[in-house]
Amino acid sequence: MSDDVKAGVAAAKAALAGVPAEPGAPKQDAILTATGVRRAFGGLVAVDVAHIEVQRGAITALIGPNGAGKTTFFNLLTGFDRPSRGSWEFDGRRADRMRSYQVARSGMVRTFQLTKALSRMTVLENMLIGADRQRGERLWAAPFRWLWLKEEAQNAARALDLLERFKLADKRDHYAGELSGGQRKLLEMARALMLKPKMIMLDEPMAGVNPALKQSLLEHIKDLREEGMTVLFVEHDMDMVHEIADWVAVMAAGQLITEGTPDQISADQRVIDAYLGAHHDAAQH
Amino acid sequence: MDWQFVFSQALTQAIGPTMLVYALGAIGLNLQFGYTGLLNFGQAAFAAMGAYGLALSVVAMGLPFWWGIVIGLLAACVMALLLGIPTLRLRADYLAIVTIAAAEIVRRIARATVWSDTTGGSDGMRGFSEPFFEMIPWDRDTTWSFLFVSMDNGRLAVDFGIFELQYSYRDTWVMIVGWTLVAVILVVMAFLIHSPWGRVLKGIREDEEAVRSLGKNVFAYKMQALVLGGIIGAIAGFVFALSRANVQPDAFTTDFTFYFYVVLILGGAARIFGPVLGAALFWFLYNILAQGLIQAISADVIPPSVIDSTQVGPLVFFLLGLGMVLLLIFRPQGLIGNRKELMFDVR
Ligand SMILES: Nc1ncnc2c1ncn2[C@@H]1O[C@H](COP(=O)(O)OP(=O)(O)O)[C@@H](O)[C@H]1O
Ligand SMILES: [Mg+2]
């Protein structure tokens, strides 16, 4: 297992080795490429990203002060919001015209900053609903159990495997509404994995998670990279970012201000200014 | 006063034709509101589509009975599509507003004087139900008895000793057909709900954005629920029109939709048998209160100075409304709902 771990990290590091630390830097093998993405709410320009490429198979952290536009950018990329302009490609396909469910089906699956557990459904049901392209989800096939029972059993087996991994297996028959905030975060992530995504986008996955769970969540995210998945996640805690990210993109006031390895970013004066500026603004309020 | 009679009457009604109309309407609503979370406040209009679809086809267009049924069902589908396409991508309240308005528009059109030559205006229509009653497989003079069930000149009686259920020749047929429909629909619905398809509906009720993020075409699922629930509403309309052998526009007011909701919440939303139990209890309570009060007044148990018989109707609805409020306070999950499910803050 530890050899595998090294393989994934090594590949990601190698792919990003020669990439210059500047906003919009081209990547060796970008799974996501976005250009000129802009979203304004009335007069407020929430997102205005000139160009960004996300390296396939790497863990990329998206950081930036509160209100920088990270969540809005996620919403745009995943079809939950429409940009004023801009275009992007995911895995070689135009994705900016897709509806949110089509984006998810094409392999780019997101989680939400405010967790969206399906409260009055069990943990297992939450997982099963995540499985993609189920025959039993078609109206015409639904009443005929024999058409989908086998598929359902396979999905359930996969769901239980994932729940095992996320330490939620003993909660399988509990309502999702009964879980703690941290457990819901885990459930949401596990549920997203039911779709077998190529890229998973996690909006503040660590927020509200207790330190013990946090560590295991970090391990899970690292495991995803070993499985060849691309991870883009929003996080505030630079220590966390240092620990797992191969690459860091920094947003401030809607723009991508810089990119680089975690070490490069920590040393970047613009990043420090952006955060300090935000704190400074906040202090004035 | 005759309590036995009052009780027998109420019990007769509790599983009778009108109760079946409430049950069917609420079953459709259960799929839409109970399982999918869609706020359809126009179920009365879907029932009207069925009732008027049938009546207009048979009376105004001279089509055969079964064509009337097909047209009624199609009319409900078309209405669901018309209401759903512009609203189901928007926030939940848009559907509520549009359905409430549509129901009123349908009723106004049905009672409009311009078309009253065809629709009968506010008087409505009759003369479409004969083919239905000609299907009755027993004769008007049929007489038999088996244990406590008997038929006397085509009329059905079920004698439990202390009380007796009695149904007319035609009501018996409406009930046989109606209960068969309820049974078939509930079986299909149970299969649907306990399938991955039903799981997606419940997911949409809980949080449609989450379901969207998992690659489901939420709009298509909502539309399917709206159409299917609307079709069941139209079937309620058939039973309603046939059991009374007429249609009248003012039967399809928002009150009608409101009673479907009462029935659903009383029985327990998102439970397969909720609407049937709710309808039986609702219609039993309504009848026992109404009949009981009327009997009590005519037997001078309640003096006319306190209340006279014309005030019974409003009083019963007041009491039922009060009961509904108490129910929501003390048993919000209804008769067979799941209390635990209500404990989570859903939004
Ligand atoms: N629906 C909206 N309407 C108006 N303004 C919004 C909306 N969503 C986000 N914003 C604004 O856009 C900016 C970026 O917000 P957001 O993307 O949530 O930032 P972040 O996730 O980086 O903290 C903020 O100033 C926020 O107030
Ligand atoms: Mg955010």
Side-chain angles (χ1 to χ4, degrees):
Chain A
M1 186 68 198
S2 68
D3 282 352
D4 290 350
V5 170
K6 276 173 193 149
V9 183
K13 294 263 188 285
L16 290 161
V19 179
E22 58 190 38
K27 307 293 183 306
Q28 254 183 27
D29 179 13
I31 189 169
L32 177 74
T33 308
T35 306
V37 181
R38 187 183 159 96
R39 174 67 164 112
F41 295 108
L44 174 88
V45 179
V47 169
D48 190 6
V49 171
H51 190 79
I52 187 170
E53 295 184 13
V54 176
Q55 170 63 37
R56 187 190 303 272
I59 298 177
T60 303
L62 182 61
I63 67 168
N66 265 327
K70 306 178 296 291
T71 297
T72 306
F73 193 46
F74 265 33
N75 287 344
L76 293 171
L77 291 176
T78 51
F80 279 84
D81 190 8
R82 291 282 162 209
S84 319
R85 57 179 163 78
S87 64
W88 56 94
E89 257 184 29
F90 174 71
D91 203 24
R93 287 167 66 194
R94 252 322 258 280
D96 51 79
R97 293 289 168 77
M98 288 186 190
R99 295 195 174 278
S100 50
Y101 77 93
Q102 293 168 322
V103 171
R105 289 187 133 193
S106 75
M108 173 159 49
V109 179
R110 59 92 54 94
T111 65
F112 295 88
Q113 182 171 353
L114 300 169
T115 343
K116 290 183 180 292
L118 307 170
S119 302
R120 290 181 291 178
M121 295 168 73
T122 67
V123 168
L124 186 58
E125 282 179 310
N126 266 266
M127 292 297 287
L128 286 170
I129 203 174
D132 197 17
R133 286 164 226 267
Q134 300 179 48
R135 187 188 246 179
E137 285 181 348
R138 307 214 176 146
L139 179 53
W140 61 265
F144 310 112
R145 297 180 83 85
W146 67 88
L147 289 176
W148 48 262
L149 224 49
K150 195 171 153 219
E151 179 189 64
E152 180 85 347
Q154 288 164 349
N155 286 335
R158 209 154 61 80
L160 287 174
D161 271 355
L162 279 168
L163 287 177
E164 204 75 58
R165 246 170 80 183
F166 283 79
K167 306 270 184 304
L168 287 170
D170 55 330
K171 300 267 190 243
R172 54 192 268 189
D173 296 323
H174 289 230
Y175 283 114
E178 294 175 81
L179 300 181
S180 72
Q183 288 171 325
R184 280 184 225 200
K185 284 259 171 207
L186 288 175
L187 174 61
E188 199 184 1
M189 193 166 147
R191 187 175 67 189
L193 294 177
M194 283 298 288
L195 278 101
K196 302 181 184 159
K198 295 175 188 142
M199 171 160 148
I200 187 162
M201 301 174 60
L202 307 167
D203 198 349
E204 304 204 15
M206 321 284 183
V209 177
N210 73 48
L213 273 180
K214 229 174 225 177
Q215 200 50 46
S216 76
L217 205 56
L218 284 182
E219 294 308 316
H220 290 315
I221 295 174
K222 287 185 192 167
D223 288 346
L224 298 181
R225 175 176 54 194
E226 297 313 314
E227 290 164 21
M229 220 175 281
T230 307
V231 180
L232 179 64
F233 77 110
V234 172
E235 180 51 54
H236 286 297
D237 185 344
M238 267 316 277
D239 289 339
M240 294 283 168
V241 171
H242 257 283
E243 190 172 341
I244 61 168
D246 304 308
W247 195 255
V248 184
V250 188
M251 278 183 82
Q255 299 190 333
L256 185 64
I257 56 168
T258 187
E259 289 183 45
T261 61
D263 290 333
Q264 288 167 327
I265 293 301
S266 316
D268 193 314
Q269 191 56 42
R270 282 170 299 182
V271 179
I272 297 162
D273 286 348
Y275 272 94
L276 285 180
H279 286 305
H280 185 63
D281 283 350
Q284 284 185 335
H285 285 300
Chain B
M1 67 178 284
D2 189 350
W3 279 110
Q4 222 158 309
F5 172 76
V6 170
F7 195 73
S8 289
Q9 281 281 302
L11 218 54
T12 298
Q13 289 296 322
I15 59 167
T18 309
M19 169 271 179
L20 285 167
V21 174
Y22 287 127
L24 285 164
I27 290 170
L29 213 51
N30 199 18
L31 187 63
Q32 297 166 335
F33 172 72
Y35 289 106
T36 321
L38 298 178
L39 289 170
N40 169 16
F41 283 125
Q43 188 70 332
F46 286 98
M49 287 292 129
Y52 270 91
L54 173 64
L56 283 171
S57 308
V58 173
V59 178
M61 299 195 273
L63 293 171
F65 176 79
W66 289 109
W67 275 106
I69 297 291
V70 171
I71 287 171
L73 295 175
L74 285 177
C77 288
V78 170
M79 188 163 102
L81 292 172
L82 284 179
L83 299 184
I85 288 169
T87 58
L88 289 182
R89 286 191 209 281
L90 306 175
R91 254 187 6 233
D93 22 354
Y94 286 85
L95 179 69
I97 296 163
V98 168
T99 47
I100 235 178
E104 194 54 15
I105 291 169
V106 165
R107 191 176 70 86
R108 297 279 168 147
I109 290 175
R111 80 198 304 285
T113 40
V114 214
W115 295 298
S116 63
D117 287 347
T118 316
T119 61
S122 58
D123 293 336
M125 310 169 74
R126 45 179 61 254
F128 54 86
S129 56
E130 281 323 304
F132 176 72
F133 291 111
E134 278 161 15
M135 288 178 220
I136 301 180
W138 66 93
D139 293 326
R140 269 200 186 272
D141 56 4
T142 306
T143 300
W144 50 260
S145 112
F146 179 73
L147 298 178
F148 49 89
V149 189
S150 64
M151 190 167 272
D152 174 21
N153 282 313
R155 300 168 54 85
L156 187 76
V158 186
D159 192 352
F160 292 108
I162 38 168
F163 51 86
E164 190 184 32
L165 313 185
Q166 284 187 349
Y167 298 98
S168 71
Y169 180 64
R170 290 183 155 212
D171 277 357
T172 308
W173 179 233
V174 172
M175 282 177 64
I176 290 171
V177 173
W179 276 106
T180 307
L181 286 169
V182 166
V184 170
I185 291 170
L186 286 189
V187 167
V188 173
M189 190 128 129
F191 275 110
L192 283 174
I193 289 306
H194 296 117
S195 76
W197 182 82
R199 186 165 59 214
V200 175
L201 294 195
K202 280 190 254 176
I204 292 171
R205 177 191 69 194
E206 295 304 299
D207 192 321
E208 63 174 89
E209 296 234 305
V211 175
R212 221 172 257 138
S213 79
L214 299 170
K216 316 296 178 202
N217 186 352
V218 167
F219 175 75
Y221 283 97
K222 284 182 174 180
M223 190 59 96
Q224 288 165 3
L226 188 65
V227 169
L228 283 181
I231 284 177
I232 301 172
I235 294 173
F238 295 146
V239 175
F240 188 57
L242 291 170
S243 68
R244 308 171 142 218
N246 71 52
V247 287
Q248 275 176 330
D250 293 338
F252 300 96
T253 55
T254 308
D255 297 10
F256 203 32
T257 302
F258 173 72
Y259 296 139
F260 292 144
Y261 271 99
V262 170
V263 159
L264 179 58
I265 291 164
L266 185 61
R271 286 283 175 275
I272 293 288
F273 288 106
V276 174
L277 290 176
L281 184 63
F282 172 70
W283 206 228
F284 176 79
L285 289 176
Y286 174 82
N287 278 282
I288 204 151
L289 286 172
Q291 295 279 351
L293 282 167
I294 288 171
Q295 282 276 321
I297 291 164
S298 66
D300 255 348
V301 177
I302 301 175
S305 57
V306 178
I307 178 177
D308 68 52
S309 55
T310 58
Q311 293 165 328
V312 166
L315 178 63
V316 168
F317 281 111
F318 169 78
L319 290 174
L320 285 175
L322 189 68
M324 194 69 200
V325 171
L326 293 175
L327 178 84
L328 288 176
I329 293 169
F330 294 108
R331 201 176 164 82
Q333 73 273 36
L335 279 180
I336 54 166
N338 185 335
R339 175 122 216 177
K340 209 168 170 190
E341 287 192 351
L342 282 178
M343 311 250 260
F344 310 121
D345 189 10
V346 183
R347 292 289 152 206

